[in-house]
């Protein structure tokens, strides 16, 4: 029971309160588990209109939250549905490639105030940090924390740093940041504890758009230094 | 029609929020006390998804620009007219043009709700007018209300609800309950030291000063932390155990995913009581299984619906049973 289930094994299903279940595919950041979580959430959304009381599923890094109204959808019935959905989505491999976004970033300077520290702590030059960060294609693992904030993975291992000891009270909108093996973009000014290495003018979140979030889970992102 | 004379510490427009958007990172927002919101709307003869004003603690002053009715529900924040006449929660008052309501300060609870005839008129963003200040959406331009803002009733000039009162003996506010706040244990107990749920329940906690609509920090003898875990989606009511061992109860404007283990989740039927806890209040917890929590929710909804029938608004409120959760 205490062993974390690896992707490919049966996911765990736990309660999160009295009106949600949470399916956990992996306890580690794992691209296959992430893809499975996204497929399962998408499949639940397809079935939702025919399941009274089932609310919109929320995909996480390697989990899916399934909120429901227990008065209209019994937990046992939902567990049965989940077993079907997990079976159907577990067989396929990685989801179809998402949209590729090229996001222009000004690295360092006042727009990336933590770049010198990141370079010092990783034993690289600032240029090397930028080359590494901008040198790979990222996957949008999940949107969350605040509206439209994308968690992108996976950051090359040499850039793996814990979060800042003291979070900033205000991180400017558009800041491109790293923490652990993930990178993200702050959609608007919020508090934040990640290392700020650059900034983009891309509008990550705009409620005036039909789709307020610029990125969707499963999309691909490439950062282009300018 | 009301004008904000003084907003107090936080004055916002809230309705039942915007559930179903957590996959975009959008928190549900909405009233911290769904029961209080529901009662304010019922009394104001407003539909279930109507918008009301959420008043926090004391200091708020509202002036009637023209004669109107206002309903009051939720906490007792010492509401009174400018002539000193008290305005207890759970009733509808007729305010003549020029008169003012003042919330002198909290006697019990944290948040009061002011309803207007048919609800407050406001633009909805992503399906709701609820103000989510951290994301800058809802309400008026995504910000708290401030002096000079004007609030229009949907049914301007309708004074028909004046004198209407909530049958509080039949359907008392859930915050009137004593005893520990319930939580449904899980889902991250395996990432926490053995019997963390028991340790949470054994201690007495104090609501920290930094508590707000995003979350409530609990002070007391720290729990043993479980460290960071891979983030997963969370909901309002989730009780996280961060690295310092001082639990945080996530709330309506809080993050949609979290990276600290969740020892348990405050169930739906306890949300209104949770939303009325003030900084400095003492609180204890007790585990409850999901079936009992669901039964308590159903019972709470039955009480609300029965009270709605008593005041004759049940026809307006067919959606009540699945409505007041927020």
């Amino acid at each position: 029971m205490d062993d974390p289930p690896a992707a490919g094994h049966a996911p765990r299903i736990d309660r999160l309160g009295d009106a949600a279940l949470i399916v956990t595919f992996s306890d580690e950041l794992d691209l296959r588990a992430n893809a499975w979580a996204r497929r399962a959430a998408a499949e639940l959304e397809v079935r939702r209109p025919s399941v009274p009381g089932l609310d919109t599923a929320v995909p996480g890094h390697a989990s899916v939250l399934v909120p429901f109204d227990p008065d209209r959808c019994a937990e046992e019935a939902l567990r049965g549905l989940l077993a079907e959905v997990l079976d159907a989505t577990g067989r396929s491999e990685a989801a179809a490639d998402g949209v590729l976004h090229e996001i222009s970033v000004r690295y360092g300077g006042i727009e990336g105030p933590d770049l010198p520290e990141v370079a010092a702590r990783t034993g690289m030059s600032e240029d090397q940090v930028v080359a590494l960060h901008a040198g790979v294609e990222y996957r949008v693992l999940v949107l969350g924390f605040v509206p439209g904030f994308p968690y992108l993975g996976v950051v090359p291992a040499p850039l793996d740093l814990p979060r800042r000891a003291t979070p900033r009270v205000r991180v400017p909108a558009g800041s491109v940041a790293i923490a652990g093996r993930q990178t993200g973009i702050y959609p608007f000014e919020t508090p934040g504890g990640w290392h700020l290495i650059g900034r983009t003018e891309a509008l990550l979140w705009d409620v005036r758009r039909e789709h307020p979030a610029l990125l969707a889970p499963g999309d691909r992102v490439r950062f282009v230094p300018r | 029609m009301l004008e904000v004379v003084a907003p107090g510490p936080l004055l916002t427009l809230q309705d039942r929020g915007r559930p179903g958007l957590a996959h975009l990172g959008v928190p549900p927002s909405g009233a911290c006390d769904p029961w209080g919101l529901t009662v304010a709307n019922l009394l104001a003869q407003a539909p279930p998804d109507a918008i009301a004003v959420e008043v926090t603690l004391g200091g708020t002053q509202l002036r009637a620009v023209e004669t109107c009715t206002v309903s009051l529900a939720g906490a007792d924040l010492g509401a009174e007219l400018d002539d000193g006449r008290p305005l207890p929660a759970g009733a509808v008052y007729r305010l003549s043009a020029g008169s003012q309501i003042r919330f002198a300060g909290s006697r019990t609870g944290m948040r009061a709700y002011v309803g207007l005839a048919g609800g407050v008129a406001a633009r909805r963003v992503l399906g709701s007018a609820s103000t989510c200040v951290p994301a800058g959406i809802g309400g008026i331009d995504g910000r708290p209300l401030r002096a000079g803002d004007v609030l229009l009733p949907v049914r301007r000039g309708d004074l028909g609800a004046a004198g209407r009162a909530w049958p509080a003996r039949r359907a008392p506010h859930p915050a009137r309950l004593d005893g520990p706040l319930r939580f449904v244990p899980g889902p991250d107990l395996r990432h926490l030291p053995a019997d963390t749920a028991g340790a949470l329940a054994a201690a007495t906690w104090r609501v920290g000063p930094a508590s707000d609509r995003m979350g409530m920090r609990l002070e007391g003898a720290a729990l043993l932390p479980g460290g960071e875990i891979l983030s997963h989606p969370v909901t309002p009511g989730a009780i996280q155990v961060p690295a310092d061992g001082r639990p945080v109860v996530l709330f309506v404007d809080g993050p949609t995913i979290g990276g600290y283990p969740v020892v348990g989740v405050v169930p739906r039927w306890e949300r209104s009581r949770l939303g009325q806890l003030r900084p400095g209040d003492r609180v204890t917890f007790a585990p409850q299984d999901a079936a009992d929590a669901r039964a308590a929710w159903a019972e709470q909804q039955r009480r609300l619906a029965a009270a709605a029938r008593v005041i004759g608004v049940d026809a307006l409120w067919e959606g009540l049973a699945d409505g007041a959760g927020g």
Side-chain angles (χ1 to χ4, degrees):
Chain A
M1 272 300 274
D2 289 338
D3 291 333
H9 291 75
R12 296 176 57 98
I13 300 180
D14 295 288
R15 287 198 188 98
L16 197 145
D18 63 329
L21 297 177
I22 186 162
V23 186
T24 305
F25 298 88
S26 170
D27 287 335
E28 309 290 331
L29 185 56
D30 174 323
L31 288 177
R32 287 178 56 200
N34 177 259
W36 194 358
R38 284 188 274 111
R39 288 195 303 272
E43 179 63 22
L44 282 166
E45 190 60 17
V46 167
R47 297 184 183 218
R48 190 165 65 89
S50 58
V51 184
L54 177 62
D55 297 324
T56 299
V58 186
H61 286 82
S63 56
V64 177
L65 179 77
V66 187
F68 69 106
D69 176 356
D71 290 336
R72 291 192 293 155
C73 175
E75 184 184 310
E76 276 315 303
L78 180 57
R79 285 178 183 266
L81 172 73
L82 282 174
E84 270 177 45
V85 165
L86 295 176
D87 186 51
T89 54
R91 278 193 301 264
S92 63
E93 267 307 308
D97 277 351
V99 180
L100 175 66
H101 304 262
E102 294 203 332
I103 291 185
S104 164
V105 179
R106 209 183 284 281
Y107 283 96
I110 55 165
E111 293 171 303
D114 296 336
L115 183 60
E117 191 193 330
V118 169
R121 288 177 63 180
T122 55
M124 286 183 277
S125 70
E126 295 185 17
D127 286 347
Q128 285 171 318
V129 171
V130 171
L132 263 182
H133 185 261
V136 296
E137 186 178 288
Y138 297 100
R139 180 75 70 178
V140 179
L141 302 173
V142 57
L143 297 181
F145 165 55
V146 294
F149 184 102
Y151 289 78
L152 305 167
V154 179
V155 168
L159 295 177
D160 184 347
L161 288 177
R163 283 180 254 184
R164 288 167 55 87
T166 310
R168 283 187 173 83
V169 177
R170 272 194 275 277
V171 172
S175 292
V176 175
I178 56 172
R181 300 295 301 275
Q182 299 185 75
T183 181
I185 310 167
Y186 287 84
F188 43 83
E189 188 181 286
T190 69
W194 290 21
H195 306 274
L196 313 183
I197 59 171
R199 206 180 297 170
T200 177
E201 287 170 6
L203 267 184
L204 274 285
W205 177 256
D206 184 351
V207 290
R208 293 166 300 186
R209 292 194 294 238
E210 189 195 345
H211 297 290
L214 178 68
L215 306 176
D219 283 358
R220 296 171 298 144
V221 169
R222 218 167 230 294
F223 291 111
V224 182
R226 48 177 288 204
Chain B
M1 179 170 165
L2 296 176
E3 181 186 350
V4 178
V5 176
L10 180 67
L11 189 70
T12 59
L13 294 182
Q14 298 295 339
D15 53 22
R16 296 199 317 201
R18 40 183 82 76
L21 297 174
H23 62 291
L24 301 178
V26 179
S29 298
C32 290
D33 167 6
W35 177 284
L37 172 78
T38 302
V39 171
N41 279 335
L42 275 172
L43 288 171
Q45 295 179 295
D49 57 349
I51 302 151
V53 184
E54 186 175 274
V55 181
T56 311
L57 292 172
T60 303
Q61 280 177 260
L62 305 169
R63 186 173 68 92
V65 178
E66 61 188 28
T67 300
C68 63
T69 56
V70 298
S71 61
L72 294 183
D76 178 358
L77 302 183
E80 57 187 31
L81 270 179
D82 40 1
D83 64 8
R85 186 152 58 95
L87 304 174
V92 183
Y93 303 98
R94 179 187 163 118
L95 298 185
S96 17
S99 61
Q100 286 195 22
I101 308 181
R102 193 172 79 96
F103 292 84
S106 168
R107 296 189 181 126
T108 62
M110 173 82 171
R111 297 170 174 107
Y113 294 86
V114 179
L116 296 178
V120 178
R123 200 167 68 86
R124 290 183 156 86
V125 177
L126 301 176
S128 162
S130 284
T131 317
C132 179
V133 175
I137 54 177
I140 298 180
D141 299 334
R143 61 166 171 78
L145 297 174
R146 60 191 182 206
D149 285 340
V150 169
L151 308 170
L152 277 173
V154 166
R155 289 198 309 272
R156 202 171 162 182
D158 178 356
L159 307 179
R164 185 177 287 272
W166 183 250
R169 284 181 56 190
R170 178 185 291 258
H173 192 289
R176 301 284 291 273
L177 289 172
D178 288 327
L181 201 62
R182 305 311 199 284
F183 68 100
V184 177
D188 297 325
L189 295 173
R190 70 204 158 96
H191 295 297
L192 288 162
D195 202 28
T196 298
L200 176 74
T204 297
W205 303 94
R206 201 174 49 248
V207 178
S211 301
D212 56 20
R213 288 177 47 90
M214 295 182 74
M216 185 180 292
R217 217 159 223 298
L218 301 177
E219 297 176 342
L223 300 174
L224 293 171
E228 281 188 35
I229 59 169
L230 181 64
S231 294
H232 65 68
V234 288
T235 62
I239 307 168
Q240 285 188 332
V241 184
D244 67 4
R246 298 207 163 75
V248 173
V249 188
L250 298 176
F251 216 27
V252 292
D253 288 347
T256 55
I257 64 176
Y260 291 113
V262 172
V263 56
V265 181
V266 177
R268 293 168 299 163
W269 76 280
E270 290 275 52
R271 292 283 172 79
S272 290
R273 193 148 71 116
L274 184 63
Q276 291 296 356
L277 290 175
R278 294 169 296 190
D281 282 351
R282 286 179 191 286
V283 58
T284 56
F285 291 91
Q288 181 175 49
D289 71 42
D292 290 346
R294 289 165 190 159
W297 167 256
E299 172 56 23
Q300 191 178 78
Q301 296 306 296
R302 269 194 297 277
R303 265 175 207 276
L304 210 42
R309 274 193 298 280
V310 169
I311 63 170
V313 289
D314 54 320
L316 252 179
W317 278 79
E318 279 170 4
L320 186 65
D322 56 276

